[in-house]
Amino acid sequence: MAENWTGGSTVPSRSLYPHQWSWDSAFVAIGLRHVSPERAQRELETLLDAQWGDGRVPHIVFNPRVPPAAYFPGPDFWRSSRAGRGAGAPADVQTSGIVQPPVHALAAWLVHRADPAASRRRGFLRRVHPRLVAWHRYLLGQRDLAGAGLVAVVHPWETGMDNSPCWDRPLARVAPAPAGSFRRADLAHGAADDRPTDLDYGRYVALARAYRDHGYTDRGTAHAFAVEDPGVNALLAASEHALARIAHTLGADADTHRDSARHVTESLVRRLWQADAGQFLCRDIRADALLPERSAAGLLPVVAPGLPDDVVTALLRTARGSRFGFGPDRLVPGYDRLGAAFDRHRYWRGPAWFNVNWLLERGFRQYGRNADADVLRRALPAAASATGFAEYIDPDTGQARGSGDFSWTAALTLDLLSDPQGGIR
């Protein structure tokens, strides 16, 4: 964590990800609160300083000291201050134009709880509260593209699960950017067999370019890719509950956020729950159909309070079943083991991720499934230590994959080790 600190924020990885990433910083703050609550506050404040006028929190905040060739797509591609001017992009900092899952209010609440006196002294909650309200207002307003009460993503990267097989069908509609029109930087830092294919990357670039060229507008734009993702919406529901607690602490309106959280959870069950699958599925808005592929995102609604008991029971059954194989010393993989596209090495197509399993641990415990939560509480730190805090791991062998010394792996290990008995955090 110390080596990845830049003075105002924490990079996920010095080599592969040399800038500040949105949901990474939220997880980093959750871990840092145990060793440096003030630095955890600064982690979130630095990210929110780059918030756009329309409320969006961009998925990357670029460090101008990093050479342009170190990461693609970089600031010259996104052109945020020019292309995003109509959406209120800041003029003094360069960012991407897309977003990531909204874990930030949950992180802010946990950071405050770690040292309430220091938080009050610095005015932390009072500073971040209006920004978090604006962030959620953007998602619930501008990104409810189907008008059904759920947030839609317009790029696979917005889900955080960038290369999931869940995106293969909707991505098939997207003509890829010509191979010679961009240069991938990721292959210089990771094995090609672990990374997205050139075809997929070409489609990611084409989607981002189209969104940029339309001024990063959401409504009134014919998005080639528009999907309701259960993980994104579950984290929004959980963060709306956290934002209600923040508002209550400040003497502000909390009921609006509680009502919003309830509506998102109800819409999740109505729109994305598939009883026959025993999990939530993604919905392709353009086709108005559930996508049949099963990923760990379909288990993440367990972090949202208020799910029906039968849904929670089914989610646990699915996690333990042959498709995900969760059990002692085995983390939940990012994708269905029985799926045709399962690849235990390739980015988000099979490996197990520490942040996903941390969220599942929290969700299982929330619903009183403490034995299952305890399995993850023991397995996650052990796997992190054994792999040098890897970005992700082979779900069968536990072998390290991706980058080493990964910030959220270290941060979430800190969080789990801070409370070995699994108490309320």
Side-chain angles (χ1 to χ4, degrees), residues 221-282:
T221 299
H223 298 285
F225 182 97
V227 173
E228 293 169 346
D229 174 72
V232 169
N233 283 282
L235 289 170
L236 177 59
S239 279
E240 276 286 84
H241 279 286
L243 193 49
R245 296 185 182 100
I246 291 171
H248 177 76
T249 300
L250 295 174
D253 174 27
D255 289 340
T256 297
H257 300 297
R258 294 191 190 99
D259 291 343
S260 174
R262 184 175 65 255
H263 291 319
V264 171
T265 301
E266 290 172 351
S267 298
L268 261 171
V269 175
R270 185 180 71 254
R271 294 272 293 174
L272 305 185
W273 174 245
Q274 176 52 256
D276 291 344
Q279 67 172 94
F280 292 83
L281 301 177
C282 300

Side-chain angles (χ1 to χ4, degrees), residues 92-182:
D92 56 347
V93 62
Q94 294 299 309
T95 76
S96 66
I98 60 175
V99 301
Q100 275 190 325
V103 198
H104 312 88
L106 174 61
W109 176 244
L110 294 176
V111 166
H112 167 75
R113 286 282 304 275
D115 191 341
S119 175
R120 286 192 293 270
R121 187 170 59 251
R122 295 188 70 250
F124 171 64
L125 287 187
R126 291 199 178 277
R127 281 203 301 276
V128 301
H129 172 251
R131 298 184 179 191
L132 294 169
V133 170
W135 169 219
H136 288 198
R137 185 184 299 123
Y138 165 77
L139 291 171
L140 292 163
Q142 296 304 308
R143 284 302 192 89
D144 184 3
L145 299 183
L150 292 180
V151 171
V153 296
V154 298
H155 195 290
W157 292 343
E158 294 196 312
T159 67
M161 300 185 180
D162 304 9
N163 195 40
S164 168
C166 294
W167 320 137
D168 290 355
R169 291 172 191 250
L171 277 177
R173 295 191 295 258
V174 178
S181 66
F182 62 93

Side-chain angles (χ1 to χ4, degrees), residues 69-73 163 179 181-192 194-202 204-205 346-347:
Y71 181 80
F72 177 85
N163 195 40
S181 66
F182 62 93
R183 185 191 66 82
R184 296 179 62 173
D186 61 317
L187 296 181
H189 304 288
D194 285 2
R195 305 296 300 166
T197 65
D198 286 342
L199 175 60
D200 285 335
Y201 218 92
Y204 303 151
V205 171
R346 197 178 291 276
Y347 196 67

Side-chain angles (χ1 to χ4, degrees), residues 382-401:
S385 177
T387 60
F389 301 96
E391 182 180 2
Y392 51 89
I393 64 172
D394 183 314
D396 292 335
T397 68
Q399 179 184 2
R401 310 297 301 188

Side-chain angles (χ1 to χ4, degrees), residues 2 8 39 75 128 149 173 192 283 314 349 369 371 376 381 398 421:
R39 185 175 143 190
V128 301
R173 295 191 295 258
R283 181 176 290 275
R349 300 179 81 85
R369 272 58 173 193
L376 287 172
Q421 301 304 314

Side-chain angles (χ1 to χ4, degrees), residues 330-350:
R330 296 190 75 181
L331 302 182
V332 175
Y335 181 68
D336 174 11
R337 291 173 174 276
L338 303 183
F342 177 77
D343 183 335
R344 57 196 179 93
H345 291 169
R346 197 178 291 276
Y347 196 67
W348 287 111
R349 300 179 81 85

Side-chain angles (χ1 to χ4, degrees), residues 6-81:
T6 65
S9 63
T10 307
V11 299
S13 161
R14 283 287 182 182
S15 57
L16 186 55
Y17 307 105
H19 301 284
Q20 183 178 23
W21 260 258
S22 173
W23 77 326
D24 292 71
S25 277
F27 290 122
V28 164
I30 288 168
L32 279 177
R33 67 193 173 112
H34 300 291
V35 294
S36 179
E38 182 171 335
R39 185 175 143 190
Q41 293 172 32
R42 290 175 63 194
E43 185 80 36
L44 294 172
E45 290 165 348
T46 302
L47 177 69
L48 292 172
D49 282 346
Q51 187 172 25
W52 290 27
D54 64 2
R56 84 181 72 194
V57 176
H59 99 295
I60 302 174
V61 180
F62 291 107
N63 182 345
R65 297 187 298 274
V66 172
Y71 181 80
F72 177 85
D76 291 343
F77 175 90
W78 294 102
R79 305 172 195 166
S80 61
S81 58

